[in-house]
Each structure stands twice: as structure tokens, then as C-alpha cells.
Amino acid sequence: NAGVMQNPRHLVRRRGQEARLRCSPMKGHSHVYWYRQLPEEGLKFMVYLQKENIIDESGMPKERFSAEFPKEGPSILRIQQVVRGDSAAYFCASSPPPGAIETQYFGPGTRLLVL
Amino acid sequence: AQSVTQLGSHVSVSEGALVLLRCNYSSSVPPYLFWYVQYPNQGLQLLLKYTSAATLVKGINGFEAEFKKSETSFHLTKPSAHMSDAAEYFCAVRGTGANSKLTFGKGITLSVRP
């Protein structure tokens, strides 16, 4: 059973460009979470999605960031007009539909570098 | 609101020594607590989780953690450190339903000396 897959693993963008990060959840998982790991700041929640729905986006920056999880295909985290402060590791996690104790399984991350 | 505190950012132990990584939580409801490990340039791997079934939780690689409600703690221990345990360790608390996001502590880097 393949784990959570993320691509690309490394992404380099110049300021002002767009970054698209992809996440394919584990088989059978219909819920996806995105987290960001900034240097010296630890892991912070960004957004929680299920197929075609955003459940919780309380951690998303108000501008330039968006996320989707379409009926078919991977979840996409999109960052428009990137700035140097967006440089970070972005992790996706997936889980089965929420019950009481389901575990989130993490992908290897996408490391974004903004020049 | 839920939160986790991991005191200290770095712990160094000798190979074969006890590992103790501290985690205290704050939660208005019975918490679900997790320890994850992150090796350099990799994702997070689940070590163990507390889900109210038992207060002493055994995980992978010889790690275990004890949930103490009176102390709001969930400290991670391993009796004998191995060089391969060198990594960053994160404690996290999770809600339920629409609030099922993980809230992480800042993480602790464990170094193991030969």
C-alpha cells in the first residue's frame, strides 16, 4: 500500500512566480491536511480538505494561498506571487474519514525555495 | 483551544542511556495525543498515539509514552538510546470532527553521543 505521495520534492521559484504543490493521499483516504514547516517555527496547520470541500482553512494566509481536493486527482496547494518568506517545507497528511482516533499519515514533503 | 508545550529544543544523551522527551498539553476536552519523529529531509513518522484506551502507550522502535492527566503530560521515553534515534521529535494534540487538525509543539532535536 503506497504511502502519501507529494511532488515535486523540491521546488525552486523566483519571487512573483506561482508554486503548485501536489499531494496524493493513501489509498482509501478521503481527507487531506496541509502543514507548513518554517525554519525555527515548527509545524503549523494550514488547511483541511475532503473531496470537493474545504473543512477548515483557519491556518491559511488570507492572500495568495489556496487549496483544493477535487473529486478526481491529487490535492493541490497553490501559492501565487511567491515571496521569500514562503520558503519552507510543505507537508501533506491524509487520513480515513474522521472517527475518534484515526491517524494522519504524512508525505515526504515539498521543499520550496523562493529566490 | 488546544496547545502543546515541548520544553527545550535540544536533548543530548549517550548511546545506551535513557531518553526522556517532555510534552505537556492543554485541552478543554479529552485529548488525542501523538508523538511523531522526523529524520533529516524526510516527512513525519508516527511513533505512538494516545486515544484513551490505556495510559501507557507503546510505540515503534522501543519508544513508549505515559499519559498523566493530573500533570497534563505525555512524556516520551526509551530505556536505551541508539545512534539511529537521532532525529527531531514532535508532540501533537488533535481535536475531533471538523477540528481534527494536529497542533504541534516546537519539536525537540535528539542527539545521541557514541
Side-chain angles (χ1 to χ4, degrees):
Chain A
N1 189 10
V4 179
M5 300 179 70
Q6 290 188 249
N7 67 80
R9 293 290 305 275
H10 300 273
L11 182 62
V12 180
R13 285 288 179 266
R14 298 193 179 278
R15 282 178 295 170
Q17 292 184 319
E18 178 180 289
R20 282 187 177 235
L21 288 60
R22 296 174 189 78
C23 170
S24 296
M26 288 178 69
K27 187 176 181 180
H29 288 191
S30 56
H31 293 248
V32 164
Y33 305 77
W34 285 93
Y35 296 86
R36 178 165 64 173
Q37 187 174 33
L38 288 161
E40 309 301 327
E41 288 193 22
L43 282 143
K44 302 289 187 185
F45 166 78
M46 298 183 76
V47 63
Y48 165 30
L49 312 105
Q50 61 177 261
K51 293 276 188 182
E52 300 183 286
N53 274 315
I54 296 175
I55 306 300
D56 180 359
E57 56 181 348
S58 59
M60 286 282 269
K62 293 288 186 285
E63 297 176 348
R64 301 187 296 107
F65 285 72
S66 62
E68 63 176 3
F69 189 16
K71 187 176 180 181
E72 301 290 339
S75 175
I76 306 287
L77 179 67
R78 181 183 179 204
I79 312 173
Q80 296 178 289
Q81 299 176 316
V82 295
V83 301
R84 287 203 174 133
D86 297 332
S87 295
Y90 292 82
F91 292 96
C92 164
S94 75
S95 75
I101 55 173
E102 81 287 348
T103 297
Q104 294 178 26
Y105 295 90
F106 281 77
T110 293
R111 282 149 182 87
L112 172 65
L113 175 63
V114 180
L115 301 176
Chain B
Q2 298 176 308
S3 66
V4 164
T5 301
Q6 293 184 253
L7 290 178
S9 59
H10 187 234
V11 170
S12 180
V13 300
S14 297
E15 191 173 19
L18 171 72
V19 175
L20 171 60
L21 304 181
R22 298 179 186 275
C23 173
N24 289 87
Y25 70 90
S26 172
S27 177
S28 58
V29 297
Y32 298 115
L33 295 160
F34 301 78
W35 275 99
Y36 283 88
V37 61
Q38 184 181 30
Y39 297 99
N41 296 315
Q42 294 188 26
L44 278 74
Q45 181 181 8
L46 180 70
L47 277 177
L48 48 80
K49 63 183 179 183
Y50 168 73
T51 59
S52 76
T55 57
L56 183 62
V57 181
K58 295 189 183 297
I60 62 171
N61 301 339
F63 284 94
E64 63 182 36
E66 186 172 9
F67 174 73
K68 292 186 176 180
K69 184 177 180 180
S70 61
E71 298 177 8
T72 60
S73 69
F74 190 55
H75 302 331
L76 182 70
T77 60
K78 182 174 180 178
S80 177
H82 192 273
M83 297 297 290
S84 61
D85 294 327
E88 191 161 17
Y89 292 80
F90 293 93
C91 182
V93 63
R94 207 211 76 194
T96 58
N99 189 32
S100 58
K101 66 183 182 227
L102 287 166
T103 300
F104 287 91
K106 288 186 178 294
I108 298 176
T109 299
L110 175 66
S111 300
V112 182
R113 304 184 300 272

